[in-house]
Amino acid sequence: MKRSISAEWLKLRHSRIGLVLAVLPVISLLIGCTNYYFNQGALQNSWFSLWTQVSLFYGEFFLPILIAICCSYVCRLEHLNRNWNMILDSPVSVASVFLAKLIVVSILILFAQALFMALYWLAGNLFTLPGPFPVETIGWTIRGWYVSLSISALQLGLSLRIRSFATPIGINLCAVLIGLAMYTAKLGIFFPFSLLTIGMCVLSQNKLTDIQNILFWMVNMAYIIIFASMSIRWLRSDDIVSS
């Protein structure tokens, strides 16, 4: 497993994935801060009002897209020059390959989450918002990263089986829209993309009840296990589309 993870990091050397990880959080912050600046008269809840604006674009759209891009990116070499044939003939198990990619993607998303929090703190200070920095937002960001693991497990399975770089990202965008509908219908706990909305308190900053909090952590863990197991099984039993 350690060698598989090291191999994944080597593939990312001299790549531009770091630029993508930085640009998308910056764009979402700029859009959110612009909204906040022009609506300060109606947004009177200091730090939390700023959070509603910046997290709306980031948590609902940019973060899911970023996850999909990272998953497609770490799988792209496997679809070139019949590299999958070489990997499947090597002594490394399919499970190790998949889990190594999941770990690497999780670290990349963790970096994006940390950058997003730093930018949020910086924006709040530039707006000279009153009151202390809300430490709750750190927990919300961590919960968003936790949900990203289940989404990443699903997206990796798609990206490893589908040669196209863009198709899994398109599927991701459709899932985002379904997630919004599920959240609106009060069924968000049953869909990972809706769990992202709940976890990061994008549309509502109300504190989760004890039962809701337990369900959030347990359901998402179930999704991580299910999606990872399904993806590994797909890779073991089905033909992978490779050039």
Side-chain angles (χ1 to χ4, degrees):
M1 175 62 72
K2 185 178 179 180
R3 286 189 295 179
S4 295
I5 295 174
S6 298
E8 293 300 326
W9 282 118
L10 285 174
K11 295 176 187 176
L12 296 178
R13 289 181 62 185
H14 309 299
S15 71
R16 297 182 180 179
I17 191 65
L19 181 62
V20 177
L21 289 170
V23 167
L24 289 184
V26 168
I27 292 176
S28 64
L29 259 291
L30 290 175
I31 296 173
C33 287
T34 301
N35 265 7
Y36 177 81
Y37 178 79
F38 287 107
N39 294 280
Q40 293 183 68
L43 301 172
Q44 298 292 327
N45 201 13
S46 185
W47 286 92
F48 293 105
S49 291
L50 179 61
W51 178 264
T52 62
Q53 301 305 300
V54 297
S55 67
L56 175 62
F57 293 95
Y58 179 72
E60 284 294 336
F61 300 104
F62 286 94
L63 180 54
I65 292 172
L66 184 58
I67 294 171
I69 291 174
C70 287
C71 290
S72 290
Y73 197 86
V74 299
C75 297
R76 79 193 196 287
L77 285 180
E78 278 71 18
H79 296 299
L80 298 175
N81 301 321
R82 301 188 180 275
N83 285 337
W84 258 121
N85 296 336
M86 297 173 59
I87 292 174
L88 295 177
D89 290 336
S90 69
V92 180
S93 68
V94 170
S96 294
V97 173
F98 178 85
L99 293 176
K101 290 182 180 296
L102 182 60
I103 291 171
V104 168
V105 170
S106 70
I107 294 173
L108 294 175
I109 299 302
L110 184 61
F111 169 79
Q113 292 291 84
L115 176 61
F116 175 76
M117 281 304 302
L119 292 171
Y120 168 65
W121 173 83
L122 178 61
N125 281 281
L126 290 176
F127 281 119
T128 61
L129 297 178
F133 178 82
V135 294
E136 301 98 310
T137 57
I138 299 176
W140 298 345
T141 306
I142 293 173
R143 289 193 316 203
W145 173 78
Y146 175 59
V147 177
S148 76
L149 298 180
S150 61
I151 297 175
S152 297
L154 175 61
Q155 286 293 141
L156 276 173
L158 294 173
S159 296
L160 284 169
R161 296 182 75 237
I162 301 173
R163 181 186 174 193
S164 169
F165 185 93
T167 300
I169 298 175
I171 296 173
N172 178 279
L173 290 175
C174 294
V176 167
L177 298 178
I178 295 173
L180 281 172
M182 294 283 284
Y183 179 86
T184 303
K186 308 297 183 183
L187 298 172
I189 197 69
F190 301 110
F191 195 65
F193 288 82
S194 304
L195 284 173
L196 188 59
T197 303
I198 295 172
M200 290 194 68
C201 293
V202 173
L203 299 177
S204 173
Q205 286 73 54
N206 294 330
K207 185 178 180 180
L208 298 178
T209 65
D210 291 339
I211 294 177
Q212 288 174 328
N213 198 44
I214 292 172
L215 280 174
F216 171 83
W217 290 93
M218 290 183 63
V219 170
N220 191 69
M221 178 55 68
Y223 275 130
I224 294 172
I225 296 172
I226 291 170
F227 289 149
S229 300
M230 287 175 56
S231 297
I232 292 171
R233 187 176 301 173
W234 286 342
L235 296 176
R236 283 174 174 167
S237 61
D238 295 347
D239 291 332
I240 298 169
V241 178
S242 179
S243 60

